Amino acid sequence: MNDNRYEDIIHLPHHQSECRPKMSVQDRAAQFAPFAALVGYEQMVQETEGVLLADRRRMLSEDEKSGLDRKMQILQEQIGVHPEIEVTYFIENEMGGAYAVYAGRVRRIEDVPTAIVFMNGKRIWVGDIACIESEIFERYEL
């Protein structure tokens, strides 16, 4: 490799435009900042973090429904200890919907319409739930 390729220009003074002022370091850095080619994309990614895309709600089998009913009974029995659970549930949207996963401590279970209410106030309607997981279910035969 020839190290003398740029010998004729390497020691020349840096060109400075006579008609444009020198750009500040902040303005130069802004040129190389991340470019948002898809406006709103980052926000959408943050909002859908933990969301499993689907085009329609999956219908639960009778066994799955009875398993969820049993888990809801156990949650109601254990409500005083505010059990930690992870819920997979369906969110309807303009494209059909998506499944999301949410984890938290249960504050209470509302009756009409039936919903799980978490300590932070989040509500998940029982009709939207596909799956509930928790360590408290390990003590029971399901």
Side-chain angles (χ1 to χ4, degrees), residues 15-30:
H15 173 73
Q16 181 66 41
S17 173
E18 293 175 12
C19 60
R20 298 185 193 274
K22 186 174 180 180
M23 189 179 286
S24 72
V25 173
Q26 289 83 11
D27 288 342
R28 285 184 57 78

Side-chain angles (χ1 to χ4, degrees), residues 42-53:
E42 282 299 317
Q43 181 181 357
M44 184 187 75
V45 168
Q46 289 172 352
E47 288 173 357
T48 59
E49 192 171 287
V51 172
L52 309 169
L53 297 178

Side-chain angles (χ1 to χ4, degrees), residues 75-136:
L75 284 176
Q76 191 66 49
E77 292 168 7
Q78 299 293 319
I79 204 70
V81 296
H82 304 291
E84 178 89 24
I85 65 171
E86 183 178 278
V87 180
T88 302
Y89 63 104
F90 190 77
I91 303 170
E92 243 177 89
N93 62 30
E94 61 276 353
M95 296 180 290
Y99 281 94
V101 177
Y102 184 81
R105 291 199 167 279
V106 178
R107 177 185 296 164
R108 69 179 182 276
I109 297 174
E110 293 179 340
D111 287 332
V112 180
T114 308
I116 296 175
V117 181
F118 290 86
M119 297 300 279
N120 66 358
K122 179 168 182 68
R123 281 179 173 73
I124 297 178
W125 310 115
V126 172
D128 293 336
I129 295 175
C131 179
I132 303 174
E133 297 297 329
S134 178
E135 290 180 5
I136 66 165

Side-chain angles (χ1 to χ4, degrees), residues 2 4 10 28 30 34 45-46 50 55 59-60 63-64 74 90 96 101-102 107 119 126 130 136 139 141:
N2 188 357
N4 298 330
I10 197 142
R28 285 184 57 78
V45 168
Q46 289 172 352
D55 52 359
M59 300 315 284
L60 300 179
D63 287 342
E64 290 171 317
I74 294 167
F90 190 77
V101 177
Y102 184 81
R107 177 185 296 164
M119 297 300 279
V126 172
I136 66 165
R139 295 178 248 166
E141 287 186 36

